Amino acid sequence: MANWLRLIWCLLLWSTTLLSHAGSNSLQQQPILVDALESNYSLSLEQAMFMPANEWLPVNPCCINLGFYNGEYWFRVNLEHIVLQQNSTSWMLEIDSPLLDYVQVFHLRERQVIFEANIGNALPFHDRLVDVPNLVVPLSDLQASDQIYIRVSSSSAIEVPLHLFHTDEFWQARADRVGIASAFYAIMLAMIIYNALIFLLTRDALFLFYSSSLLSFSFLIATIYGWTYKILWPNYPIFNDHFLMISIVATCITSTAFSIRFLRLKEEAPSINNLIVLLNWVALFSGIASIFAPYEIMIRFLTGLGVVMCSLGIGSGIFLTIQRRSKDYLLYLLSIFLLLNGFIVFALQKFAVLDINKYTVHSVEFGVIFQVLVLAISLAERHNRERIARIQAQEKIISLQQEANEALDQKVKERTEDLEQLNSKLQEETITDALTRVRNRRYFDQRFFSLYQDAFRQHTSLALLLMDIDHFKKFNDVHGHHVGDLVLQQVAQAMQDTLKRPGDTVYRSGGEEFAILLPNTDISGALQVAETVRNAIANLSLRHQNTELSVTISIGVCADIPHIRNYQEFMYQRADKALYAAKAAGRNCVRSMTLLGHHDEIS
């Protein structure tokens, strides 16, 4: 555990550094002053310009977060503090929020519009002036006396972090951010493929759910940051809105499905499991409804639903960790706490409850990196523990890791012997009837063929006994199947006890039917063994509820020297015909046949 905590701590430090770089620009952005104007109806540029000064409220340009709003906002950017460089006449105004529907930018000089741009998530991607997921407007020949007006309306949360860069500095900062994003998605892709491969190897649905949750989350993040719009459907803006809501629903459902299986909630906490399943159905129907319902309503509902499900996930993790005191639950709680907390912080930011800052913007990525490491450790340990339970030979894996190189050969030999024993045990199980512990029909077919061929080649006699428990159905019908199972077990054991030679074997050929193969045995010896078996069964004493039950069997015998190769099926038919003759004679008796003749031996 100590090593795990060191790894987690190193990842936290790495993640903090990564996200601090991702959330800020290493290059100096230009200082700008921004005022905001809220409007319940559509204003023209002239109307906005001549609004009273007390209607405009100063805001922090890097942290503009106004939540969900059905109207529009105007922003006025003053450039009096920007640093003008002689060699730089080209600028980039970045709105670091890809999901805004409509954004109009007006560049004014002496109250005259010298440049105008219309961009937004509701417009085709090729309408953008700069080919990046964020909303970026190129500006040229800025002067400190210029003003920039921005009109924003959106069915999503109105977040308008504004940054002004020299063009070369913008592209340098952009390259850094793309590199960090690429590293993040590469990590996610590696974990998705890794867990998918484990699922294919183990068929454990836990890894499928985890891989699916990582895939859904990756698409959700890519959609929020505008990558899916840029890469997948740049000419169809409506797809982006629907895919965002589908990604939210898919992330909620796959993550909770993973949690249910990981925590075994069906067995450990049925009430919590039922509540989570109910919320999953609500999320699923909401996702379907989002195709038809207004986007501005469904995005708020799904965001709120995500907060509820994340809160429930944290609460159930805490509850089960305290109640069960299990390492699995503790690791799960560690892994989901920052992730679900990140989702909650991210959602509350969308509702403008929290301000925009490095943590609120990237809290989800920070949480998922933490989750990936802890759950990778937890899943690996859990899977290894289950493998050790199934294969006892792997109990030596820890000692193998501690042995020096000179002991490697010995340890490999020990492992090979263990595996051979395990394979032998497995092979034994495949040829043994689970209920009676005698050989099964599959092994009977193989052994019968082999013994028949040996008898044919060596010109020796082979005997086959087919046996059927008389009136077996009444044991099940009158006393129940458990009594029937007991009868089968006792009869099989009695048959085993009567056989003395190592090569003589009892088989359960199906239901209440048994068979015995006697190599090097003629008809007289086979009849003697059959009579001994019949008497042993007849003398069995079985009691059930103070009632003594009697059991008898009918036996058909065929014994002879095979004269035709691959004719064992005929021998089986002759023994079966003898068995039917024994039943017809009143049961509890023996009838026999040879391959060429008939012996009317009766007992």
Side-chain angles (χ1 to χ4, degrees):
M1 178 65 81
N3 292 331
W4 294 356
L5 292 177
R6 292 191 194 101
L7 286 173
I8 293 170
W9 177 247
C10 292
L11 183 73
L12 284 174
L13 293 177
W14 174 79
S15 303
T16 303
T17 304
L18 182 150
L19 293 177
S20 65
H21 284 290
S24 64
N25 297 293
S26 59
L27 300 174
Q28 182 65 38
Q29 63 184 24
Q30 295 298 317
I32 55 177
L33 301 177
V34 180
D35 298 319
L37 172 66
E38 178 182 348
S39 175
N40 292 322
Y41 55 91
S42 181
L43 296 177
S44 65
L45 174 61
E46 290 74 14
Q47 290 173 324
M49 291 172 57
F50 289 101
M51 288 296 290
N54 59 358
E55 296 288 336
W56 291 88
L57 300 177
V59 293
N60 185 343
C62 298
C63 308
I64 300 175
N65 182 18
L66 303 170
F68 292 99
Y69 182 65
N70 292 327
E72 67 178 23
Y73 270 93
W74 279 87
F75 300 94
R76 182 174 61 195
V77 181
N78 295 310
L79 305 174
E80 58 189 29
H81 295 292
I82 67 172
V83 179
L84 298 176
Q85 298 179 4
Q86 293 181 356
N87 298 329
S88 179
T89 59
S90 180
W91 305 77
M92 291 289 186
L93 178 65
E94 178 185 41
I95 303 174
D96 195 6
S97 181
L99 297 182
L100 295 174
D101 289 343
Y102 299 100
V103 177
Q104 283 185 287
V105 179
F106 304 92
H107 181 187
L108 280 69
R109 180 172 297 161
E110 297 179 356
R111 294 186 175 273
Q112 297 296 318
V113 178
I114 63 174
F115 175 77
E116 179 180 347
N118 292 285
I119 54 177
N121 195 51
L123 301 175
F125 193 86
H126 59 71
D127 286 355
R128 299 191 181 185
L129 303 177
V130 181
D131 186 23
V132 295
N134 286 345
L135 303 177
V136 180
V137 176
L139 302 171
S140 60
D141 193 26
L142 285 183
Q143 298 181 12
S145 60
D146 292 351
Q147 284 188 323
I148 297 173
Y149 280 79
I150 304 172
R151 176 164 58 189
V152 176
S153 61
S154 181
S155 53
S156 300
I158 297 181
E159 300 172 341
V160 195
L162 293 172
H163 309 286
L164 182 64
F165 296 94
H166 292 291
T167 299
D168 53 350
E169 293 177 341
F170 168 80
W171 287 115
Q172 185 174 345
R174 186 71 197 168
D176 293 340
R177 293 167 66 178
V178 169
I180 293 173
S182 300
F184 174 79
Y185 290 119
I187 293 172
M188 296 299 292
L189 180 61
M191 293 303 300
I192 291 169
I193 295 175
Y194 172 73
N195 285 279
L197 290 175
I198 294 180
F199 164 71
L200 293 176
L201 293 173
T202 64
R203 298 297 178 182
D204 188 344
L206 179 70
F207 295 97
L208 176 62
F209 289 141
Y210 186 46
S211 181
S212 300
S213 67
L214 293 178
L215 180 63
S216 301
F217 172 78
S218 299
F219 272 111
L220 174 60
I221 293 300
T223 303
I224 290 174
Y225 290 138
W227 289 105
T228 55
Y229 184 32
K230 171 180 169 59
I231 297 172
L232 299 181
W233 38 74
N235 297 321
Y236 302 97
I238 192 172
F239 286 179
N240 210 48
D241 292 341
H242 290 313
F243 194 75
L244 173 61
M245 292 185 286
I246 291 173
S247 298
I248 294 174
V249 172
T251 301
C252 290
I253 292 176
T254 55
S255 298
T256 52
F258 167 75
S259 299
I260 287 173
R261 194 170 185 89
F262 185 87
L263 297 176
R264 301 182 180 91
L265 290 182
K266 288 184 180 180
E267 299 81 14
E268 300 290 342
S271 57
I272 296 177
N273 174 74
N274 294 337
L275 179 57
I276 292 177
V277 171
L278 176 62
L279 290 176
N280 271 345
W281 281 108
V282 173
L284 178 61
F285 286 120
S286 300
I288 297 174
S290 66
I291 300 175
F292 311 100
Y295 173 80
E296 59 271 14
I297 295 176
M298 295 308 302
I299 190 63
R300 299 179 193 189
F301 175 78
L302 289 174
T303 304
L305 179 63
V307 172
V308 172
M309 296 183 74
C310 291
S311 301
L312 178 62
I314 293 177
S316 59
I318 295 174
F319 170 75
L320 290 172
T321 300
I322 295 175
Q323 186 181 54
R324 305 298 182 186
R325 300 183 182 276
S326 167
K327 185 191 299 182
D328 283 345
Y329 294 124
L330 176 60
L331 289 173
Y332 172 80
L333 179 61
L334 287 174
S335 69
I336 68 165
F337 184 80
L338 281 183
L339 176 62
L340 298 185
N341 181 67
F343 272 114
I344 294 174
V345 169
F346 189 79
L348 293 179
Q349 173 203 304
K350 298 301 180 184
F351 284 102
V353 176
L354 299 176
D355 292 332
I356 294 177
N357 54 53
K358 297 175 185 178
Y359 178 67
T360 60
V361 171
H362 298 284
S363 58
V364 178
E365 295 102 302
F366 183 83
V368 78
I369 292 174
F370 186 87
Q371 185 211 37
V372 164
L373 175 68
V374 178
L375 280 184
I377 294 172
S378 179
L379 289 172
E381 184 201 14
R382 177 172 175 165
H383 180 58
N384 188 50
R385 186 169 64 247
E386 291 176 352
R387 288 188 62 205
I388 291 175
R390 293 193 302 265
I391 306 175
Q392 295 181 356
Q394 292 190 356
E395 292 176 352
K396 297 181 180 180
I397 190 171
I398 297 177
S399 62
L400 285 174
Q401 294 174 350
Q402 297 174 347
E403 290 293 333
N405 290 334
E406 61 272 13
L408 182 59
D409 291 340
Q410 178 62 29
K411 290 301 178 182
V412 170
K413 181 179 178 181
E414 292 176 2
R415 174 60 58 84
T416 303
E417 292 174 354
D418 290 340
L419 291 177
E420 288 176 351
Q421 293 176 5
L422 185 61
N423 289 333
S424 176
K425 182 179 179 181
L426 180 61
Q427 185 177 6
E428 179 73 16
E429 290 297 322
T430 61
I431 63 175
T432 301
D433 179 65
L435 177 63
T436 61
R437 307 311 296 173
V438 299
R439 300 305 187 193
N440 57 23
R441 177 57 185 262
R442 176 184 177 186
Y443 186 67
F444 167 77
D445 292 338
Q446 298 173 358
R447 187 61 176 162
F448 186 27
F449 176 81
S450 177
L451 290 177
Y452 186 92
Q453 298 301 315
D454 289 345
F456 173 79
R457 287 191 299 268
Q458 300 170 12
H459 201 65
T460 58
S461 181
L462 173 65
L464 169 63
L465 281 63
L466 295 183
M467 296 156 286
D468 191 280
I469 300 176
D470 297 331
H471 304 294
F472 178 74
K473 188 173 183 298
K474 74 176 183 180
F475 292 107
N476 288 329
D477 295 343
V478 176
H479 303 290
H481 286 279
H482 64 287
V483 175
D485 291 345
L486 178 62
V487 170
L488 291 171
Q489 291 171 340
Q490 293 292 327
V491 167
Q493 185 61 48
M495 292 178 182
Q496 290 272 51
D497 294 341
T498 61
L499 301 181
K500 305 303 181 183
R501 296 188 305 176
D504 299 343
T505 312
V506 179
Y507 307 85
R508 185 184 179 191
S509 56
E512 69 274 18
E513 299 174 357
F514 293 85
I516 294 177
L517 286 172
L518 304 172
N520 297 313
T521 304
D522 58 14
I523 188 65
S524 61
L527 288 172
Q528 183 179 356
V529 172
E531 183 63 22
T532 303
V533 171
R534 188 195 63 78
N535 284 326
I537 303 303
N539 293 329
L540 282 177
S541 178
L542 300 176
R543 298 193 64 82
H544 175 66
Q545 296 181 351
N546 298 324
T547 301
E548 186 169 348
L549 306 178
S550 62
V551 184
T552 61
I553 62 172
S554 300
I555 304 176
V557 179
C558 182
D560 212 332
I561 298 174
H563 295 284
I564 302 176
R565 182 186 294 274
N566 298 329
Y567 213 47
Q568 65 271 9
E569 182 63 28
F570 179 73
M571 186 176 189
Y572 186 91
Q573 293 173 2
R574 300 287 284 177
D576 190 53
K577 188 174 181 179
L579 173 60
Y580 274 98
K583 291 182 179 180
R587 295 182 169 83
N588 191 23
C589 62
V590 178
R591 290 291 184 271
S592 66
M593 287 186 176
T594 62
L595 289 175
L596 301 178
H598 180 270
H599 291 261
D600 190 24
E601 297 290 343
I602 304 174
S603 299

PDB file of all heavy atoms in Angstrom, residues 358-378:
ATOM      1  N   LYS A 358      -8.412  27.595 -12.961  1.00  0.00           N
ATOM      2  CA  LYS A 358      -7.706  26.416 -13.458  1.00  0.00           C
ATOM      3  C   LYS A 358      -8.330  25.127 -12.951  1.00  0.00           C
ATOM      4  O   LYS A 358      -8.454  24.146 -13.688  1.00  0.00           O
ATOM      5  CB  LYS A 358      -6.236  26.475 -13.049  1.00  0.00           C
ATOM      6  CG  LYS A 358      -5.469  27.646 -13.642  1.00  0.00           C
ATOM      7  CD  LYS A 358      -4.067  27.688 -13.093  1.00  0.00           C
ATOM      8  CE  LYS A 358      -3.320  28.936 -13.585  1.00  0.00           C
ATOM      9  NZ  LYS A 358      -1.964  29.010 -13.006  1.00  0.00           N
ATOM     10  N   TYR A 359      -8.737  25.118 -11.690  1.00  0.00           N
ATOM     11  CA  TYR A 359      -9.269  23.877 -11.135  1.00  0.00           C
ATOM     12  C   TYR A 359     -10.667  23.577 -11.660  1.00  0.00           C
ATOM     13  O   TYR A 359     -10.967  22.440 -12.039  1.00  0.00           O
ATOM     14  CB  TYR A 359      -9.297  23.928  -9.613  1.00  0.00           C
ATOM     15  CG  TYR A 359      -9.898  22.679  -9.020  1.00  0.00           C
ATOM     16  CD1 TYR A 359      -9.244  21.454  -9.133  1.00  0.00           C
ATOM     17  CD2 TYR A 359     -11.138  22.710  -8.385  1.00  0.00           C
ATOM     18  CE1 TYR A 359      -9.802  20.292  -8.617  1.00  0.00           C
ATOM     19  CE2 TYR A 359     -11.704  21.556  -7.866  1.00  0.00           C
ATOM     20  CZ  TYR A 359     -11.028  20.355  -7.984  1.00  0.00           C
ATOM     21  OH  TYR A 359     -11.592  19.228  -7.488  1.00  0.00           O
ATOM     22  N   THR A 360     -11.569  24.574 -11.679  1.00  0.00           N
ATOM     23  CA  THR A 360     -12.926  24.303 -12.130  1.00  0.00           C
ATOM     24  C   THR A 360     -12.967  23.922 -13.597  1.00  0.00           C
ATOM     25  O   THR A 360     -13.796  23.109 -14.020  1.00  0.00           O
ATOM     26  CB  THR A 360     -13.831  25.530 -11.891  1.00  0.00           C
ATOM     27  OG1 THR A 360     -13.308  26.659 -12.614  1.00  0.00           O
ATOM     28  CG2 THR A 360     -13.913  25.868 -10.424  1.00  0.00           C
ATOM     29  N   VAL A 361     -12.083  24.485 -14.418  1.00  0.00           N
ATOM     30  CA  VAL A 361     -12.068  24.166 -15.840  1.00  0.00           C
ATOM     31  C   VAL A 361     -11.531  22.763 -16.077  1.00  0.00           C
ATOM     32  O   VAL A 361     -12.039  22.003 -16.902  1.00  0.00           O
ATOM     33  CB  VAL A 361     -11.235  25.206 -16.619  1.00  0.00           C
ATOM     34  CG1 VAL A 361     -11.028  24.755 -18.059  1.00  0.00           C
ATOM     35  CG2 VAL A 361     -11.937  26.557 -16.594  1.00  0.00           C
ATOM     36  N   HIS A 362     -10.497  22.363 -15.340  1.00  0.00           N
ATOM     37  CA  HIS A 362      -9.824  21.088 -15.604  1.00  0.00           C
ATOM     38  C   HIS A 362      -9.992  20.087 -14.462  1.00  0.00           C
ATOM     39  O   HIS A 362      -9.228  19.135 -14.364  1.00  0.00           O
ATOM     40  CB  HIS A 362      -8.331  21.335 -15.847  1.00  0.00           C
ATOM     41  CG  HIS A 362      -8.055  22.190 -17.047  1.00  0.00           C
ATOM     42  ND1 HIS A 362      -8.158  21.710 -18.326  1.00  0.00           N
ATOM     43  CD2 HIS A 362      -7.706  23.499 -17.156  1.00  0.00           C
ATOM     44  CE1 HIS A 362      -7.872  22.678 -19.180  1.00  0.00           C
ATOM     45  NE2 HIS A 362      -7.593  23.765 -18.505  1.00  0.00           N
ATOM     46  N   SER A 363     -10.991  20.299 -13.621  1.00  0.00           N
ATOM     47  CA  SER A 363     -11.172  19.399 -12.482  1.00  0.00           C
ATOM     48  C   SER A 363     -11.484  17.978 -12.926  1.00  0.00           C
ATOM     49  O   SER A 363     -11.074  17.008 -12.295  1.00  0.00           O
ATOM     50  CB  SER A 363     -12.303  19.917 -11.587  1.00  0.00           C
ATOM     51  OG  SER A 363     -13.514  20.030 -12.331  1.00  0.00           O
ATOM     52  N   VAL A 364     -12.226  17.837 -14.026  1.00  0.00           N
ATOM     53  CA  VAL A 364     -12.591  16.496 -14.490  1.00  0.00           C
ATOM     54  C   VAL A 364     -11.366  15.741 -14.992  1.00  0.00           C
ATOM     55  O   VAL A 364     -11.170  14.562 -14.680  1.00  0.00           O
ATOM     56  CB  VAL A 364     -13.663  16.593 -15.586  1.00  0.00           C
ATOM     57  CG1 VAL A 364     -14.006  15.210 -16.102  1.00  0.00           C
ATOM     58  CG2 VAL A 364     -14.913  17.274 -15.051  1.00  0.00           C
ATOM     59  N   GLU A 365     -10.514  16.415 -15.788  1.00  0.00           N
ATOM     60  CA  GLU A 365      -9.309  15.742 -16.279  1.00  0.00           C
ATOM     61  C   GLU A 365      -8.397  15.340 -15.129  1.00  0.00           C
ATOM     62  O   GLU A 365      -7.836  14.232 -15.111  1.00  0.00           O
ATOM     63  CB  GLU A 365      -8.531  16.651 -17.246  1.00  0.00           C
ATOM     64  CG  GLU A 365      -9.285  16.948 -18.529  1.00  0.00           C
ATOM     65  CD  GLU A 365      -9.902  18.320 -18.484  1.00  0.00           C
ATOM     66  OE1 GLU A 365     -10.712  18.585 -17.557  1.00  0.00           O
ATOM     67  OE2 GLU A 365      -9.596  19.136 -19.361  1.00  0.00           O
ATOM     68  N   PHE A 366      -8.287  16.242 -14.150  1.00  0.00           N
ATOM     69  CA  PHE A 366      -7.469  15.929 -12.980  1.00  0.00           C
ATOM     70  C   PHE A 366      -8.007  14.686 -12.276  1.00  0.00           C
ATOM     71  O   PHE A 366      -7.258  13.772 -11.920  1.00  0.00           O
ATOM     72  CB  PHE A 366      -7.480  17.126 -12.034  1.00  0.00           C
ATOM     73  CG  PHE A 366      -6.613  16.951 -10.818  1.00  0.00           C
ATOM     74  CD1 PHE A 366      -5.258  17.214 -10.875  1.00  0.00           C
ATOM     75  CD2 PHE A 366      -7.164  16.517  -9.624  1.00  0.00           C
ATOM     76  CE1 PHE A 366      -4.462  17.048  -9.748  1.00  0.00           C
ATOM     77  CE2 PHE A 366      -6.374  16.347  -8.494  1.00  0.00           C
ATOM     78  CZ  PHE A 366      -5.020  16.620  -8.570  1.00  0.00           C
ATOM     79  N   GLY A 367      -9.335  14.638 -12.109  1.00  0.00           N
ATOM     80  CA  GLY A 367      -9.944  13.499 -11.430  1.00  0.00           C
ATOM     81  C   GLY A 367      -9.779  12.201 -12.192  1.00  0.00           C
ATOM     82  O   GLY A 367      -9.532  11.151 -11.600  1.00  0.00           O
ATOM     83  N   VAL A 368      -9.915  12.248 -13.515  1.00  0.00           N
ATOM     84  CA  VAL A 368      -9.845  10.999 -14.276  1.00  0.00           C
ATOM     85  C   VAL A 368      -8.420  10.451 -14.302  1.00  0.00           C
ATOM     86  O   VAL A 368      -8.215   9.235 -14.297  1.00  0.00           O
ATOM     87  CB  VAL A 368     -10.377  11.200 -15.707  1.00  0.00           C
ATOM     88  CG1 VAL A 368      -9.374  11.875 -16.616  1.00  0.00           C
ATOM     89  CG2 VAL A 368     -10.780   9.855 -16.313  1.00  0.00           C
ATOM     90  N   ILE A 369      -7.424  11.325 -14.332  1.00  0.00           N
ATOM     91  CA  ILE A 369      -6.041  10.840 -14.275  1.00  0.00           C
ATOM     92  C   ILE A 369      -5.800  10.123 -12.952  1.00  0.00           C
ATOM     93  O   ILE A 369      -5.200   9.047 -12.897  1.00  0.00           O
ATOM     94  CB  ILE A 369      -5.058  12.006 -14.459  1.00  0.00           C
ATOM     95  CG1 ILE A 369      -5.153  12.550 -15.896  1.00  0.00           C
ATOM     96  CG2 ILE A 369      -3.631  11.567 -14.170  1.00  0.00           C
ATOM     97  CD1 ILE A 369      -4.340  13.792 -16.130  1.00  0.00           C
ATOM     98  N   PHE A 370      -6.275  10.717 -11.884  1.00  0.00           N
ATOM     99  CA  PHE A 370      -6.141  10.094 -10.565  1.00  0.00           C
ATOM    100  C   PHE A 370      -6.880   8.762 -10.535  1.00  0.00           C
ATOM    101  O   PHE A 370      -6.371   7.747 -10.048  1.00  0.00           O
ATOM    102  CB  PHE A 370      -6.708  11.052  -9.509  1.00  0.00           C
ATOM    103  CG  PHE A 370      -6.506  10.584  -8.092  1.00  0.00           C
ATOM    104  CD1 PHE A 370      -5.349  10.888  -7.412  1.00  0.00           C
ATOM    105  CD2 PHE A 370      -7.488   9.846  -7.450  1.00  0.00           C
ATOM    106  CE1 PHE A 370      -5.172  10.465  -6.110  1.00  0.00           C
ATOM    107  CE2 PHE A 370      -7.318   9.416  -6.153  1.00  0.00           C
ATOM    108  CZ  PHE A 370      -6.155   9.729  -5.486  1.00  0.00           C
ATOM    109  N   GLN A 371      -8.109   8.741 -11.094  1.00  0.00           N
ATOM    110  CA  GLN A 371      -8.906   7.517 -11.095  1.00  0.00           C
ATOM    111  C   GLN A 371      -8.240   6.405 -11.895  1.00  0.00           C
ATOM    112  O   GLN A 371      -8.236   5.255 -11.482  1.00  0.00           O
ATOM    113  CB  GLN A 371     -10.300   7.788 -11.658  1.00  0.00           C
ATOM    114  CG  GLN A 371     -11.218   6.574 -11.579  1.00  0.00           C
ATOM    115  CD  GLN A 371     -12.233   6.544 -12.700  1.00  0.00           C
ATOM    116  OE1 GLN A 371     -11.932   6.909 -13.822  1.00  0.00           O
ATOM    117  NE2 GLN A 371     -13.432   6.111 -12.392  1.00  0.00           N
ATOM    118  N   VAL A 372      -7.694   6.755 -13.056  1.00  0.00           N
ATOM    119  CA  VAL A 372      -7.078   5.745 -13.920  1.00  0.00           C
ATOM    120  C   VAL A 372      -5.953   5.028 -13.184  1.00  0.00           C
ATOM    121  O   VAL A 372      -5.836   3.794 -13.239  1.00  0.00           O
ATOM    122  CB  VAL A 372      -6.556   6.398 -15.215  1.00  0.00           C
ATOM    123  CG1 VAL A 372      -5.587   5.483 -15.928  1.00  0.00           C
ATOM    124  CG2 VAL A 372      -7.729   6.730 -16.131  1.00  0.00           C
ATOM    125  N   LEU A 373      -5.126   5.772 -12.463  1.00  0.00           N
ATOM    126  CA  LEU A 373      -4.021   5.136 -11.760  1.00  0.00           C
ATOM    127  C   LEU A 373      -4.517   4.235 -10.638  1.00  0.00           C
ATOM    128  O   LEU A 373      -4.151   3.065 -10.552  1.00  0.00           O
ATOM    129  CB  LEU A 373      -3.074   6.192 -11.191  1.00  0.00           C
ATOM    130  CG  LEU A 373      -1.944   5.615 -10.343  1.00  0.00           C
ATOM    131  CD1 LEU A 373      -0.979   4.830 -11.199  1.00  0.00           C
ATOM    132  CD2 LEU A 373      -1.211   6.694  -9.584  1.00  0.00           C
ATOM    133  N   VAL A 374      -5.405   4.770  -9.766  1.00  0.00           N
ATOM    134  CA  VAL A 374      -5.829   3.998  -8.602  1.00  0.00           C
ATOM    135  C   VAL A 374      -6.630   2.773  -9.024  1.00  0.00           C
ATOM    136  O   VAL A 374      -6.429   1.671  -8.509  1.00  0.00           O
ATOM    137  CB  VAL A 374      -6.654   4.887  -7.649  1.00  0.00           C
ATOM    138  CG1 VAL A 374      -7.146   4.080  -6.462  1.00  0.00           C
ATOM    139  CG2 VAL A 374      -5.814   6.056  -7.162  1.00  0.00           C
ATOM    140  N   LEU A 375      -7.545   2.953  -9.985  1.00  0.00           N
ATOM    141  CA  LEU A 375      -8.334   1.811 -10.413  1.00  0.00           C
ATOM    142  C   LEU A 375      -7.486   0.794 -11.165  1.00  0.00           C
ATOM    143  O   LEU A 375      -7.759  -0.407 -11.109  1.00  0.00           O
ATOM    144  CB  LEU A 375      -9.498   2.270 -11.290  1.00  0.00           C
ATOM    145  CG  LEU A 375     -10.708   2.822 -10.534  1.00  0.00           C
ATOM    146  CD1 LEU A 375     -11.826   3.148 -11.504  1.00  0.00           C
ATOM    147  CD2 LEU A 375     -11.201   1.846  -9.486  1.00  0.00           C
ATOM    148  N   ALA A 376      -6.484   1.256 -11.884  1.00  0.00           N
ATOM    149  CA  ALA A 376      -5.589   0.311 -12.548  1.00  0.00           C
ATOM    150  C   ALA A 376      -4.905  -0.581 -11.505  1.00  0.00           C
ATOM    151  O   ALA A 376      -4.782  -1.794 -11.686  1.00  0.00           O
ATOM    152  CB  ALA A 376      -4.548   1.055 -13.377  1.00  0.00           C
ATOM    153  N   ILE A 377      -4.481   0.027 -10.410  1.00  0.00           N
ATOM    154  CA  ILE A 377      -3.863  -0.745  -9.326  1.00  0.00           C
ATOM    155  C   ILE A 377      -4.887  -1.688  -8.703  1.00  0.00           C
ATOM    156  O   ILE A 377      -4.634  -2.871  -8.494  1.00  0.00           O
ATOM    157  CB  ILE A 377      -3.283   0.211  -8.266  1.00  0.00           C
ATOM    158  CG1 ILE A 377      -2.127   1.025  -8.858  1.00  0.00           C
ATOM    159  CG2 ILE A 377      -2.817  -0.565  -7.045  1.00  0.00           C
ATOM    160  CD1 ILE A 377      -1.622   2.115  -7.946  1.00  0.00           C
ATOM    161  N   SER A 378      -6.087  -1.153  -8.431  1.00  0.00           N
ATOM    162  CA  SER A 378      -7.114  -1.955  -7.772  1.00  0.00           C
ATOM    163  C   SER A 378      -7.571  -3.108  -8.648  1.00  0.00           C
ATOM    164  O   SER A 378      -7.701  -4.244  -8.192  1.00  0.00           O
ATOM    165  CB  SER A 378      -8.307  -1.066  -7.407  1.00  0.00           C
ATOM    166  OG  SER A 378      -9.318  -1.818  -6.787  1.00  0.00           O
TER     167      SER A 378
END
